[in-house]
């Protein structure tokens, strides 16, 4: 049995009087691709925000750990520390750094794995130069991974939508994570781009051994690539299991097709 | 589809006159209305001047005429500029004429180096060709370049709008003045101390305020700046109050004291050196790991944190480094004028430094230098306009924000090369 | 730049005689603080309304107040020379000042803020600072940089039992402010435009979808806010007896402090904040020291923003990701 890299127990999140997440349990094991699905407004993005430190969950436990390391409870720690521990994410509404180049966007991702400070910057000493060159090389390789190397010196805001989504993945990869959280990575992509994306995600898991948790609405993609699926509706976990189990679950069908259809 | 229509419009004869309107007649009507509106708007303040003591009234009708004509003409320019901005929005990148000149100059190595050499030589011989008066103006211009570049780290790179920057300048100046008065500490000892003191103040101030959102941060720093000035003004026992401190020592060179004239020349070289140092530092910083983190912070704070950047630490570094330059510039200012008082450190000083950065181009080193040259030298040489200096600053800040938010020279991103080859930093902002 | 430093040191409100019992002194300070708070409220409402609608700190708002005071002075000068009676001058001066300040507020929004909708957050703020600098210097150049004596327009009358403690102009200022605040509250609550303003403040996109003209609402916000500032400007100028082009800066920052103290974006908050600030300042300068008058306000501003940026009545904003 592989140990989980992410283990979320009974997490709740309240906004004022509204409960956006209600006792959600979710775990991701090393090397797994797990999907989190559910209708719009179900609380999927809120779940990401809670486990990455952008929101502080009202209650519950979020425990993470690189496989092999001892797991660590990370409720309420700052987002940058979450990333440093090794959980990196993308955003549903793309949040690149628009007036920086594609390469620089990726270089930012390496920030928490590099060290040179003010003195290194000013003196441009050997250590800083070597590190800087390593950052450039590594970032360039990541751009190649997502097939964006020819746009390296293009400003991020000038890239088309689908490429921006891939750039966000490369940027998250640059933080050297063991778990990658993707929030609707295929949104706004055409079928061809979606297939490419699927291959990219599978490649990341297979080549780099990074576990993946993704939110996605494209059912074909989700069903074909996930090891397990969790389904959220109105902040509650209504089903989880393998794609076959979930797709046969009446509760899931009901949530997707609307209420009141008892005979479905 | 839209583009074609717009492009056609751009080429039409009389395009300038009918910009943003259906026809020239329509434009004329609008401009007349604008002129009438501004004549109404400015009527009491521009035309009437009352003396409530002697009960006399001065009617200045000519002003009304000028306002009418001025706003009529400017309304055409305004619409034309707005339309041009709309047109340029669709293009990927547009370079202004100044930028184009600089880009083409710096793309040819020979041109670049000879240009630099000419500027360098001109800067070196300047105090010997120009008189004492000119040199003095140049020193203050160079001071603004250093201050502008320092503030540029905070505002331009890290995106933290600091409206109390002058407080750090005051700290440097007062530190030198007081240390010199009480302990006869010399300029050269105080220069690095001023830098350190500035950095410490930056951290002390930065710590509590940095979790504030952009516009709140602006107001808090403004408040801090004013508090410092008010304390300088009211804490008479230490700061000598509004009358200030005089008789501050000028810098010496290896124990040699200069006369008034030579010391100005010397001061000029000190300031020139400091400015070159600043340019060097800022250039190195902005293309480093730290500089990139600042930019990322400016662009998107949440994404920046999600990429593992410590927000507080990064902001504090920007604040402290910006304040370092203000602290040093303060020491130089006190040494140059040999007299300081709180009136030199009002909010307006912060506003001028901010306009240097904003108008020059936020985040762009060349822009800030050009901004300081234009903003500080122009009003000095156009003596007739010197009264209008702040008026023009204010108007320019608005116009730049509306029509050219990137400033005179926009910041350019460094172009990196990879695959084992050496990094080539072609363009520095 | 020297004249500015001195101008800043000029107190906003001058106290009457200070001889009397402790209780009388306390009451005098209290009414002084109430008056001060009223003026802050009139200005703070403009800040808070604009912030509520477009999330902009309208840095030029203090200048609108100053322009109101200058317009009042000019009207008073002209009518005074024509021999009008004092009270008529006051009413006309307030009306004309309101019209002009409203017109300035309207125009400023069109020039400096409207083209910047959707720009990065700092752009309109920098534009506002530029506008503020411009307006100050415009008035300084067109009029004068000296302090101008302002005629006392508010008629003198005796308040039984409180002679020497509260002046007639203080009574008028407080009364006018109360009336204005009540009227504004009713307008926002029941008026058609008031409802549209509340809707726009809550969610601009939604308001637009249900057919509210957002441009009209924004313009109206500027017009109303500027009018209130003009009322404050004329009244306080008449009370203190002098104005110059710089009065908007300090008064603006203090009113902004009041708005933040109450919770920026909240109208009752601005009134409450202004009252607290006015009273605090009055008692602090009366009992502690008047040297650091402005420092109290700035320190309060800094402390609130650091420890409770949402103010007393404001809501802590949550960031949507
Ligand atoms: N910062 C917030 N403040 C208040 N409500 C929020 C906040 N963030 C999310 N919500 C609410 O939580 C619910 C879930 O939203 P979200 O997680 O974005 O759904 P989705 O599953 O589509 O990603 C929605 O009703 C949303 O309005
Ligand atoms: Mg979502």
């Amino acid at each position: 049995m592989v140990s989980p890299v992410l283990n979320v127990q009974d997490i709740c999140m309240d906004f004022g009087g509204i409960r956006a997440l209600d006792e959600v349990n979710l775990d991701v094991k090393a090397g797994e691709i797990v999907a989190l699905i559910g209708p719009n407004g179900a609380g999927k993005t809120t779940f990401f925000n809670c486990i990455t430190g952008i929101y502080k969950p009202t209650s519950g436990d979020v425990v993470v750990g690189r496989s092999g390391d001892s797991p660590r409870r990370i409720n309420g720690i700052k987002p940058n520390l979450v990333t440093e521990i090794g959980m990196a994410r993308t955003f549903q509404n793309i949040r690149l750094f628009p007036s920086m180049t594609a390469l620089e966007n990726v270089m930012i991702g390496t920030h928490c794995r590099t060290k040179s400070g003010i003195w290194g910057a000013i003196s441009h000493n050997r250590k800083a130069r070597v590190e800087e060159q390593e950052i450039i090389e590594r970032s360039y390789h990541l751009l190649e991974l997502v097939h964006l190397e020819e746009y390296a010196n293009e400003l991020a805001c000038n890239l088309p939508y689908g490429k921006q989504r891939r750039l966000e993945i490369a940027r998250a990869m640059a933080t050297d994570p063991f778990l990658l959280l993707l929030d609707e990575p295929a949104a706004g992509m055409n079928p061809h781009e979606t297939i490419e994306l699927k291959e990219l995600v599978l490649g990341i898991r297979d080549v780099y051994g990074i576990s993946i948790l993704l939110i996605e609405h494209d059912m074909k993609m989700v069903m074909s690539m996930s090891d397990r699926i969790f389904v959220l509706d109105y902040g509650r976990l209504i089903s989880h299991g393998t794609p076959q189990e979930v797709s046969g679950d009446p509760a899931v069908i009901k949530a997707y097709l609307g209420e009141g259809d008892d005979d479905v | 589809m839209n583009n074609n229509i717009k492009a056609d419009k751009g080429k039409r004869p009389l395009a300038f006159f009918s910009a943003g309107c259906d026809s020239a007649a329509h434009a004329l009507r609008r401009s007349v209305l604008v002129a009438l509106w501004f004549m109404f708007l400015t009527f009491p303040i521009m035309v009437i001047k009352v003396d409530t003591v002697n009960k006399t009234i001065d009617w200045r009708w000519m002003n009304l005429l000028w306002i009418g004509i001025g706003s009529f003409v400017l309304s055409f320019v305004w619409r034309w500029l707005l339309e041009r901005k709309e047109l340029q929005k669709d293009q990927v990148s547009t370079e202004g004429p100044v930028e184009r000149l600089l880009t083409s100059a710096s793309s040819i190595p020979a041109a670049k180096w000879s240009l630099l050499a000419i500027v360098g030589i001109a800067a070196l011989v300047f105090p010997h060709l120009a008189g004492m008066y000119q040199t003095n103006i140049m020193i203050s211009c160079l001071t603004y370049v250093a201050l502008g570049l320092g503030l540029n780290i905070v505002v331009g790179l890290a995106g933290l709008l600091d409206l109390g920057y002058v407080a750090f300048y005051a700290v440097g100046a007062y530190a030198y003045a007081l240390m010199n008065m009480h302990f006869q500490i010399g300029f050269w000892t105080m220069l690095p101390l001023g830098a350190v003191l500035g950095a410490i103040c930056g951290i002390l101030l930065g710590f509590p305020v940095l979790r504030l959102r952009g516009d709140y941060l602006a107001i808090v720093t403004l408040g801090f700046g004013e508090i410092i000035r008010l304390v300088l003004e009211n804490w008479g026992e230490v700061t000598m109050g509004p009358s200030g401190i005089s008789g501050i020592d000028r810098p010496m060179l290896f124990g040699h004291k200069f006369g008034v004239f030579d010391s100005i020349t010397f001061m000029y070289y000190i300031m020139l050196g400091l400015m070159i140092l600043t340019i060097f530092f800022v250039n190195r910083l902005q293309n480093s790991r730290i500089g990139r983190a600042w930019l990322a912070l400016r662009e998107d704070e949440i994404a920046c944190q999600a990429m593992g950047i410590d927000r507080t630490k990064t902001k504090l570094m920007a604040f402290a480094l910006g304040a370092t330059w203000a602290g040093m510039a303060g020491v130089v200012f006190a040494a140059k004028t040999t007299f300081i008082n709180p009136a030199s450190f009002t909010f307006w000083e912060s506003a001028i430094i901010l306009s240097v950065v904003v108008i020059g181009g936020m985040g762009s080193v060349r822009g800030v230098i050009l901004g300081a040259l234009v903003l500080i030298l122009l009003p000095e040489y156009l003596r007739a306009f010197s009264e209008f200096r702040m008026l023009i600053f204010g108007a320019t800040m608005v116009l730049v924000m509306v029509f050219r938010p990137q400033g005179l020279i926009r910041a350019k991103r460094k172009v990196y090369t990879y695959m084992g080859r050496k990094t080539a930093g072609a363009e520095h902002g | 730049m020297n004249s500015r430093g001195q101008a800043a040191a000029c107190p906003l409100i001058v106290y009457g005689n200070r001889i009397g019992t402790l209780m009388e002194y306390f009451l005098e300070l209290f009414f002084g603080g109430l008056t001060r708070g009223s003026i802050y409220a009139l200005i703070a409402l403009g800040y808070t309304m604009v912030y509520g609608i477009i999330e902009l700190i309208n840095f030029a708002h203090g200048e609108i107040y100053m322009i109101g005071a200058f317009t009042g002075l000019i009207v008073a000068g002209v009518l005074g020379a024509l021999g009008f009676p004092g009270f008529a001058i006051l009413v006309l001066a307030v009306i004309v000042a309101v019209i002009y300040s409203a017109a300035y507020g309207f125009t400023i929004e069109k020039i400096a803020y409207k083209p910047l909708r959707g720009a990065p957050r700092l752009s309109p703020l920098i534009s506002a600072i530029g506008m503020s600098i411009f307006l100050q210097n415009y008035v300084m150049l067109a009029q004068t940089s000296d302090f101008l004596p302002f005629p006392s327009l508010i008629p003198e009358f005796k308040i039984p039992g409180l002679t020497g403690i509260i002046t007639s102009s203080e009574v008028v200022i407080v009364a006018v402010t109360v009336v204005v605040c009540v009227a504004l509250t009713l307008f926002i609550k029941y008026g058609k435009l008031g409802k549209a303003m509340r809707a726009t403040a809550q969610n601009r996109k939604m308001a637009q979808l249900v057919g509210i003209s957002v441009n009209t609402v924004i313009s109206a916000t500027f017009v109303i806010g500027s009018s209130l500032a003009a009322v404050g400007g004329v009244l306080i100028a008449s009370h203190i007896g002098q104005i110059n082009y710089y009065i908007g800066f300090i008064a603006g920052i203090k009113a902004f402090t009041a708005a933040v103290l109450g919770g920026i974006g909240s109208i009752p908050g601005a009134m409450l904040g202004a009252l607290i600030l006015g009273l605090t300042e009055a008692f602090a300068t009366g009992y502690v020291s008047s040297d650091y008058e402005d420092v109290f306000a700035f320190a309060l501003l800094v402390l609130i923003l650091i420890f409770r940026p949402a103010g007393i009545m404001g809501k802590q904003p949550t960031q949507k990701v």
Side-chain angles (χ1 to χ4, degrees), chain A residues 107-238:
Chain A
M107 287 165 83
I108 287 290
T110 65
H111 189 95
C112 60
R113 303 288 171 225
T114 45
K115 282 202 262 320
S116 75
I118 293 175
W119 174 244
I122 290 169
S123 67
H124 228 231
N125 56 17
R126 208 183 139 68
K127 221 169 99 206
R129 280 201 312 270
V130 169
E131 188 183 89
E132 180 80 0
Q133 198 56 37
E134 275 169 12
I135 294 176
I136 296 170
E137 301 295 325
R138 187 169 142 64
S139 305
Y140 187 75
H141 284 307
L142 286 168
L143 279 183
E144 281 179 330
L145 177 76
V146 298
H147 305 299
L148 288 176
E149 64 276 17
E150 57 181 306
Y151 300 100
N153 287 314
E154 195 73 52
L155 292 187
C157 58
N158 293 339
L159 293 182
Y161 199 73
K163 295 196 170 64
Q164 290 196 6
R165 285 220 176 276
R166 289 212 303 264
L167 180 56
E168 258 206 340
I169 296 178
R171 186 180 68 173
M173 287 286 292
T175 66
D176 189 19
F178 59 82
L179 176 62
L180 194 57
L181 309 174
L182 306 174
D183 196 343
E184 305 201 9
M189 284 189 174
N190 62 33
H192 175 71
E193 285 176 319
T194 309
I195 291 169
E196 270 185 7
L197 177 76
K198 184 180 148 188
E199 270 155 22
L200 171 66
V201 174
L202 287 171
I204 288 174
R205 195 259 310 259
D206 297 339
V207 176
Y208 296 86
I210 294 173
S211 318
I212 284 157
L213 173 60
L214 86 161
I215 297 174
E216 192 43 71
H217 281 304
D218 186 326
M219 279 310 134
K220 217 171 97 205
M221 175 173 164
V222 168
M223 291 296 163
S224 63
M225 67 190 279
S226 328
D227 297 314
R228 284 185 303 143
I229 297 178
F230 288 77
V231 190
L232 269 185
D233 191 25
Y234 293 112
R236 288 174 161 277
L237 199 60
I238 56 168

Side-chain angles (χ1 to χ4, degrees), chain A residues 40-41 43-46 92 183-184 215 217, chain C residues 321:
Chain A
N40 271 323
K44 305 179 297 290
T45 301
T46 307
Q92 179 177 354
D183 196 343
E184 305 201 9
I215 297 174
H217 281 304
Chain C
V321 178

